[in-house]
Amino acid sequence: MTAAKGDRREIRVGRHTVEVARPDKVLFPDDGITKAGLADYYQRVAARMLPHLRGRPLMLEQHPDGIDDPGFMRKDVPGHFPDWLDRVELPKEDGTVTYALCEDTASLVYLAGQACVTPHRWLSRADRPDHPDRLVFDLDPPGDDFGAVRRAARRLRTLLDELELPALPMSTGSRGLHVVVPLLRRDSFDDVRDFAREAADLLADRYPDELTTAARKRDRRGRLYLDVQRNGYGQTAVAPYAVRARPGAPVAAPLAWDELDDPDLTARRWTLADADRLLDRDPWRDPPRGRSLAAARRRLTALREPPAS
């Protein structure tokens, strides 16, 4: 149920009434998408999106003046957020941070009403923040050649198959792809990142003219960057079904592996306007179970060792 009262809109979501101030504020100028339109989208996709958010600290990318304004990233929950929106306090180097949690549809709609265009999620859950249940490879192309991204994703999948690790691809709504490996929560972030870096190094060694793990852009020399830096405590990755702050309102969309065979696929194929089509498909419907990295680490070591002469 929705009610308009002056320059605000009230949306009844479950047990809560969410107020969206300035609902007609245009956030995407080229597309005419308003704050109310953003809230409507997140309400529609909430059932599909929430399983990827629950229990995870969030960093909120907010653009109260629209996406043409730089906006800001919010970690600490401000005092005006409602009491019913869940929070978790977690340590940082010089103190603590109180992060928002998004446990229900009302929370997701409320964040949209705060002009949170994009929620970015931790790769661990708040109850064991040092032990991730996701490993993410971020395939970052040097330009807009998505063919290079699709090719790199297939090469990465082959390596992960050798390591007997299942993986799920996702378009980021920006330029590249994320390849997500579900984990059992047995390894620390440091151990997971070390494993990811070694795997990325091996893949780059196999295809040195195409792929690199060089963090500095000047060292990449036109090659696709295999970025594993998101695999760290306090780091985040864009959540599935999240809208990106780019013209057209592209969406981070879960993919099936065979979709990478489509030459027309790009990182921005899916948009906010495609909500119905996004919900008609569910390529992550039966996600693989999380794995321990112990056996995969042994397999990776064996692959990296030179053959005996």
Side-chain angles (χ1 to χ4, degrees), residues 140-219:
D140 183 12
D144 288 327
D145 178 11
F146 203 73
V149 179
R150 294 187 293 112
R151 187 166 55 250
R154 293 193 202 98
R155 299 198 192 290
L156 177 57
R157 187 190 187 190
T158 297
L159 174 59
L160 294 173
D161 284 346
E162 293 176 61
L163 300 175
E164 297 185 21
L165 290 175
L168 301 167
M170 183 183 77
S171 63
T172 62
S174 180
R175 295 195 311 153
L177 280 178
H178 285 179
V179 175
V180 182
V181 179
L183 302 175
L184 297 175
R185 300 193 292 174
R186 295 178 180 172
D187 294 280
S188 69
F189 265 115
D190 286 345
D191 290 340
V192 169
R193 185 172 55 232
D194 287 347
F195 173 87
R197 184 180 295 115
E198 290 180 18
D201 284 341
L202 174 58
L203 196 62
D205 288 344
R206 287 181 175 180
Y207 304 98
D209 295 332
E210 300 177 25
L211 308 175
T212 182
T213 57
R216 295 182 178 180
K217 288 187 177 182
R218 66 171 180 265
D219 296 329

Side-chain angles (χ1 to χ4, degrees), residues 83-100:
D83 292 341
W84 50 260
L85 191 143
D86 289 334
R87 301 153 165 80
V88 63
E89 185 176 358
L90 294 175
K92 63 176 182 176
E93 185 174 348
D94 56 350
T96 62
V97 177
T98 300
Y99 291 92

Side-chain angles (χ1 to χ4, degrees), residues 14-299:
R15 296 179 294 109
H16 303 291
T17 298
V18 179
E19 181 178 298
V20 178
R22 302 175 66 200
D24 297 327
K25 171 67 180 178
V26 175
L27 299 182
F28 292 79
D30 293 343
D31 309 283
I33 298 171
T34 64
K35 192 190 295 186
L38 181 69
D40 287 343
Y41 167 81
Y42 277 125
Q43 186 174 14
R44 291 175 70 188
V45 302
R48 189 71 57 78
M49 187 175 184
L50 284 169
H52 303 290
L53 296 177
R54 287 192 180 105
R56 298 180 187 277
L58 299 180
M59 182 168 65
L60 311 177
E61 182 181 345
Q62 295 178 255
H63 294 269
D65 294 318
I67 65 166
D68 287 347
D69 186 82
F72 56 92
M73 295 288 192
R74 184 187 296 279
K75 293 183 179 181
D76 261 311
V77 173
H80 69 267
F81 275 30
D83 292 341
W84 50 260
L85 191 143
D86 289 334
R87 301 153 165 80
V88 63
E89 185 176 358
L90 294 175
K92 63 176 182 176
E93 185 174 348
D94 56 350
T96 62
V97 177
T98 300
Y99 291 92
L101 297 174
C102 192
E103 305 296 282
D104 53 28
T105 302
S107 299
L108 191 55
V109 172
Y110 177 81
L111 294 178
Q114 297 297 304
C116 174
V117 173
T118 313
H120 300 262
R121 64 174 185 165
W122 278 39
L123 303 182
S124 61
R125 298 180 185 273
D127 59 337
R128 296 190 69 193
D130 295 306
H131 290 74
D133 64 352
R134 295 288 184 272
L135 182 161
V136 171
F137 294 94
D138 183 2
L139 309 187
D140 183 12
D144 288 327
D145 178 11
F146 203 73
V149 179
R150 294 187 293 112
R151 187 166 55 250
R154 293 193 202 98
R155 299 198 192 290
L156 177 57
R157 187 190 187 190
T158 297
L159 174 59
L160 294 173
D161 284 346
E162 293 176 61
L163 300 175
E164 297 185 21
L165 290 175
L168 301 167
M170 183 183 77
S171 63
T172 62
S174 180
R175 295 195 311 153
L177 280 178
H178 285 179
V179 175
V180 182
V181 179
L183 302 175
L184 297 175
R185 300 193 292 174
R186 295 178 180 172
D187 294 280
S188 69
F189 265 115
D190 286 345
D191 290 340
V192 169
R193 185 172 55 232
D194 287 347
F195 173 87
R197 184 180 295 115
E198 290 180 18
D201 284 341
L202 174 58
L203 196 62
D205 288 344
R206 287 181 175 180
Y207 304 98
D209 295 332
E210 300 177 25
L211 308 175
T212 182
T213 57
R216 295 182 178 180
K217 288 187 177 182
R218 66 171 180 265
D219 296 329
R220 298 176 193 171
R221 301 194 303 276
R223 295 169 294 176
L224 182 141
Y225 176 39
L226 300 170
D227 185 1
V228 299
Q229 296 307 311
R230 298 180 186 280
N231 300 287
Y233 179 87
Q235 301 300 309
T236 61
V238 63
Y241 300 98
V243 180
R244 305 309 302 270
R246 300 177 67 104
V251 171
L255 301 173
W257 280 106
D258 60 8
E259 290 183 85
L260 298 185
D261 296 331
D262 181 355
D264 294 327
L265 178 69
T266 70
R268 300 186 288 276
R269 157 74 68 83
W270 300 93
T271 73
L272 178 150
D274 297 320
D276 288 339
R277 290 199 302 134
L278 275 169
L279 296 176
D280 283 343
R281 57 191 291 282
D282 190 4
W284 291 9
R285 179 185 296 108
D286 299 310
R289 297 177 61 183
R291 302 292 177 89
S292 166
L293 288 181
R297 192 174 286 111
R298 291 192 294 271
R299 296 185 186 101

